Amino acid sequence: MKALIVDDNDIARTTLAHLAKQIPNLIIEKEYSNAIEAYNHLQSNPVDLIFLDIEMPEMTGIELTKNLSGKETIIIFTTSNKEYALEAFELNIADYILKPVMPARFLQAVSKVQSIIDSRKENVEVTKDEFLFVRDSNITRRLKLDDIFYAEAMGDYVKFYTQEKMFAIHGKMKTAEERLPKDDFIRVHRSYIVSVGKIDTLQDGGIMINGKFIPVADAYRKALNTRMNVF
């Protein structure tokens, strides 16, 4: 797994590089203190992952992420500021780590990225019955629609979450919405489709499913409330 570190703080770059050395399959290809330089590097040298600061001069981390839209590069934001969290996750990043970055938190984020990369090798076909057929190399496995908690958009991929595993499938959210049965699933956000039967609680601004908070956009709130018989 090849990665870049992009941060205008020398100490932050050194810390991340040190943590990365503890993970055998993680290679830091380059470090940059400037997002524009990182962007130029990526035009001819794609990587799997970027550890990306947000507040940087000339081009911010969020601006760089938007400029990389449509590419398969996975982003982990590393920042000392909480206020960008909502905007960051709207961009479908993999994780958001607050500084100072702790080893356990770093490992957790990298493990999540590895799961995404591994699951990209799998293809999915939605049938007219109650299953997804997931193809991994030469093995085809049947996945019950009832096992899916929610789907999340991430660039050119859709991530399907179950109790035990996440599958990142190449495709668009619109296609997933069309193929998932409307009797069981509902769109609640431009980035999320949820299983109605898996919703635990409704809260201000979102819902909880299996311990995960999922935002509900205003455009979808009325339909969700009607579906859930909320008065």
Side-chain angles (χ1 to χ4, degrees):
M1 181 163 49
K2 295 189 298 183
L4 294 185
I5 295 173
V6 185
D7 197 309
D8 62 338
N9 184 287
D10 293 344
I11 296 176
R13 292 198 307 276
T14 300
T15 299
L16 290 170
H18 174 74
L19 291 171
K21 288 180 180 178
Q22 314 307 312
I23 302 178
N25 66 329
L26 179 59
I27 300 171
I28 301 300
E29 188 174 270
K30 200 81 173 177
E31 298 178 25
Y32 287 105
S33 61
N34 183 292
I36 294 177
E37 293 177 356
Y39 177 80
N40 291 334
H41 173 95
L42 291 165
Q43 299 315 296
S44 55
N45 302 278
V47 297
D48 301 300
L49 170 64
I50 305 175
F51 296 100
L52 182 59
D53 188 24
I54 292 180
E55 295 181 320
M56 291 183 288
E58 298 185 59
M59 178 187 287
T60 68
I62 287 177
E63 289 170 337
L64 175 58
T65 302
K66 290 179 179 178
N67 284 326
L68 295 176
S69 177
K71 297 184 181 295
E72 294 188 357
T73 307
I74 300 171
I75 307 291
I76 294 177
F77 278 133
T78 57
T79 178
S80 57
N81 201 324
K82 295 180 180 180
E83 71 180 56
Y84 298 105
L86 180 59
E87 183 178 2
F89 282 111
E90 288 283 340
L91 297 172
N92 298 312
I93 65 163
D95 214 335
Y96 189 99
I97 307 178
L98 289 174
K99 297 175 183 177
V101 180
M102 297 292 103
R105 185 68 183 87
F106 182 85
L107 179 60
Q108 180 187 39
V110 173
S111 295
K112 183 185 295 186
V113 171
Q114 187 64 64
S115 295
I116 293 171
I117 292 173
D118 289 344
S119 64
R120 282 177 174 175
K121 302 171 184 176
E122 300 168 336
N123 296 316
V124 66
E125 178 182 353
V126 182
T127 67
K128 293 181 179 179
D129 54 19
E130 299 300 317
F131 305 96
L132 298 178
F133 283 94
V134 179
R135 186 176 297 110
D136 182 8
S137 298
N138 295 322
I139 300 174
T140 300
R141 181 172 53 199
R142 188 175 68 174
L143 174 64
K144 292 182 180 179
L145 291 176
D146 189 54
D147 289 341
I148 299 173
F149 284 89
Y150 60 94
E152 178 185 12
M154 189 190 76
D156 290 332
Y157 285 80
V158 177
K159 299 183 288 185
F160 292 93
Y161 289 85
T162 68
Q163 180 70 47
E164 298 180 352
K165 190 173 181 180
M166 181 275 293
F167 301 93
I169 309 303
H170 190 272
K172 296 297 184 181
M173 200 62 160
K174 181 179 179 181
T175 303
E177 184 178 17
E178 291 171 349
R179 293 186 175 183
L180 290 171
K182 291 179 172 54
D183 289 342
D184 303 311
F185 293 86
I186 186 170
R187 186 82 171 259
V188 297
H189 190 278
R190 68 178 184 178
S191 297
Y192 290 97
I193 297 171
V194 304
S195 170
V196 176
K198 297 293 193 298
I199 296 175
D200 295 319
T201 60
L202 282 77
Q203 304 179 2
D204 289 342
I207 57 179
M208 293 295 295
I209 294 183
N210 197 35
K212 162 78 174 181
F213 177 80
I214 295 177
V216 176
D218 291 340
Y220 300 97
R221 186 175 304 281
K222 183 177 179 180
L224 176 64
N225 288 342
T226 299
R227 186 71 171 275
M228 300 297 294
N229 291 321
V230 177
F231 296 95

